[in-house]
Amino acid sequence: MTEDSGEPATARARWATAVRRVRAAATTEPGRLRGIGGLLASLILAFGALTAWQAGARADAADAVVEHSQPLSEDAARIYRSLADADTAAAGGFLAGGDEPRSVRERYERDIQRASELLAEAAANSEGSEQTQRRIAELNRELPRYTGLVEAARANNRQGLPLGGAYLRYANERMHEKLLPAARGLHTAETARLHADYARARSWPWAATLAGIAALGALSWVQRRHYLRTNRVLSPGLVGATAATLVALLWLTAGSALSRSWLGDSDEHGARSLQALNEAWIGALQARSAENMWLVARGAGGEYELSSVEHLTRVSGPPSRNGAADEGGLIDEAYRLADDARGRAPVADAQAGLQEWRKRHAQARAAEDGGDYAAAVVKVIGRKGETTGAAFETVDTGLRAASTHERAEFEDAAGDGRAALTGLALGGALLAALGTGSALAGVGRRLSEYR
């Protein structure tokens, strides 16, 4: 046999010898203890790593809910409301003719400025999809066109030229065909991101929980084995490892449960309430705009009158025989989601304003149908008396107050949900490191008895 042919045989012999030694070591008590120490260390470290990862991810998602996605969703709704309110103010100012109230003009300008500022913030802060960016770009492109048409309508109206009505109708069409759909799409996208962040923040950390239970089970088994073999009740190192792991697991479960509960409250009684209020508010603004445009269009106002009635019905529900609103409107949903008297009171005021608006709108329509256009205009935009404008302001004020309250409710509950996860990722990792060290110390103390 050559020298080369002997080398593989020697290598195999060495490998076989090493395997026999490992097997022999594994069948001895010191070998088993080393394996047990490695198993405990692996389980506790895995528990700590999973806790740090999953708790950290949920804390980041809770931060996103409070700091980014909900504010961006609310800003998108404010963009929509500002545009709808600007359209309402433009039509109302046009109806007043050359005697346009300064407050109406200022309201229109304030709405346009607010929408422009919010669009700039959305473009700078939103991390949305390419489709979202296209909607922002479309809004930025269409808004100057809309304001140009409104200014042309106002200039012609001051001169008493009928062309002003055509300009305003075209501006209204651009608003409803271009601007509002883009704003709606932006709001939908930001709301979807809010729901996704909520889902991530409220998901249960199952991997970390199961790892913690496995680590506690292994520690219990090792201590029982230790007791059966040595008749010693306690091992300080293993008891310390058990305590650290148990504290980390209790912290994980309690923090996650509290966070889920508070975030659920912030969603149910904050974010969802705001969503319902936004929908009701937008519907009211669109109804008011359509009502004004119905009179601006005069003889050609059928579609605007129908739109006004549809929006009023959508907001307040279909009228019953006694004149009250049945359940089913947007404002009824907002009232249902309000969870305390302070939240329900302003919504109830808005409900009452909507019912009064219905009655006054019917009176204005009857006057216009009877050929008394001037009386219809007074009934809609008159400065005094029982006008639809006064009823709309009651609705607007009530929904604004309710939104302020629900926003505060959201911030409190979501802030508590985020606080419940504070320090959990770092604390869980540190406790796992402490538990690992204690477990190895406990096993090492037992090993020292064989030296």
Side-chain angles (χ1 to χ4, degrees):
M1 181 179 294
T2 64
E3 183 178 352
D4 291 341
S5 63
E7 290 182 358
T10 302
R12 284 195 298 270
R14 290 174 180 172
W15 174 255
T17 300
V19 170
R20 282 196 300 270
R21 288 177 179 174
V22 169
R23 287 178 179 175
T27 58
T28 63
E29 184 61 13
R32 293 191 188 99
L33 287 174
R34 292 187 183 92
I36 288 171
L39 174 64
L40 289 178
S42 299
L43 287 174
I44 298 173
L45 285 175
F47 170 51
L50 287 170
T51 297
W53 170 47
Q54 294 195 308
R58 281 149 185 78
D60 289 342
D63 285 340
V65 167
V66 177
E67 302 292 342
H68 300 290
S69 52
Q70 200 286 328
L72 287 172
S73 176
E74 177 64 16
D75 282 349
R78 289 172 63 196
I79 290 172
Y80 196 112
R81 291 200 309 267
S82 296
L83 293 174
D85 193 56
D87 199 48
T88 298
F94 186 91
L95 279 176
D99 192 26
E100 179 182 8
R102 182 176 180 82
S103 60
V104 175
R105 174 66 177 178
E106 290 176 347
R107 181 170 183 165
Y108 166 81
E109 292 175 345
R110 187 168 57 250
D111 286 331
I112 295 299
Q113 181 179 0
R114 184 184 300 116
S116 299
E117 291 172 351
L118 289 171
L119 281 172
E121 291 179 10
N125 300 327
S126 178
E127 298 176 357
S129 64
E130 182 179 348
Q131 188 177 12
T132 298
Q133 297 299 326
R134 284 201 302 269
R135 292 191 181 103
I136 294 174
E138 182 177 7
L139 286 165
N140 282 321
R141 182 174 61 252
E142 290 292 334
L143 188 56
R145 297 176 182 175
Y146 170 80
T147 56
L149 289 168
V150 170
E151 292 306 317
R154 181 176 283 114
N156 280 274
N157 192 41
R158 283 196 298 265
Q159 299 177 44
L161 301 176
L163 189 60
Y167 272 114
L168 191 63
R169 286 195 298 274
Y170 186 46
N172 181 264
E173 290 175 5
R174 301 294 294 182
M175 174 64 74
H176 286 269
E177 293 177 3
K178 297 290 185 179
L179 285 160
L180 292 183
R184 168 71 72 179
L186 180 63
H187 181 237
T188 300
E190 296 299 343
T191 301
R193 181 159 58 162
L194 172 62
H195 292 327
D197 287 337
Y198 260 124
R200 289 193 299 115
R202 297 184 64 197
S203 61
W204 189 265
W206 283 111
T209 303
L210 294 175
I213 293 172
L216 283 176
L219 284 164
S220 298
W221 172 78
V222 171
Q223 290 176 88
R224 183 174 183 277
R225 181 182 184 276
H226 181 67
Y227 169 73
L228 292 175
R229 288 178 176 269
T230 65
N231 205 31
R232 295 170 184 169
V233 178
L234 297 175
S235 169
L238 294 176
V239 169
T242 302
T245 304
L246 181 60
V247 169
L249 183 59
L250 290 176
W251 189 359
L252 174 67
T253 53
S256 298
L258 289 173
S259 179
R260 280 168 58 90
S261 176
W262 279 320
L263 286 172
D265 285 344
S266 75
D267 185 20
E268 179 69 23
H269 302 298
R272 293 186 188 180
S273 295
L274 283 170
Q275 178 74 13
L277 287 167
N278 280 327
E279 292 294 331
W281 205 346
I282 288 167
L285 288 166
Q286 290 178 329
R288 180 60 177 169
S289 175
E291 183 178 58
N292 288 340
M293 288 302 302
W294 159 60
L295 292 175
V296 169
R298 299 196 178 188
E303 64 177 282
Y304 295 107
E305 164 61 7
L306 179 60
S307 176
S308 176
V309 172
E310 286 176 345
H311 284 303
L312 279 171
T313 300
R314 179 170 174 261
V315 173
S316 60
S320 62
R321 293 182 179 179
N322 61 6
D326 294 330
E327 293 185 359
L330 291 171
I331 202 165
D332 299 304
E333 177 69 8
Y335 188 88
R336 184 185 68 79
L337 289 173
D339 63 331
D340 58 12
R342 290 182 60 194
R344 288 190 291 270
V347 181
D349 292 341
Q351 285 177 315
L354 276 167
Q355 298 317 306
E356 192 62 35
W357 187 358
R358 277 182 176 276
K359 296 176 184 177
R360 297 176 185 179
H361 179 81
Q363 294 169 3
R365 187 172 65 233
E368 203 276 339
D369 289 344
D372 193 348
Y373 176 79
V377 171
V378 170
K379 195 66 180 175
V380 171
I381 65 166
R383 299 185 182 182
K384 295 181 180 180
E386 297 183 348
T387 65
T388 62
F392 165 73
E393 288 299 328
T394 299
V395 175
D396 186 73
T397 300
L399 294 178
R400 189 183 305 277
S403 294
T404 300
H405 173 74
E406 296 299 337
R407 190 175 299 108
E409 292 274 291
F410 163 81
E411 291 173 354
D412 288 343
D416 289 339
R418 177 172 61 170
L421 297 173
T422 301
L424 177 55
L426 178 59
L430 291 176
L431 285 169
L434 177 62
T436 300
S438 296
L440 291 175
V443 174
R445 184 179 180 85
R446 180 82 174 90
L447 271 171
S448 66
E449 297 174 0
Y450 289 89
R451 294 172 184 171

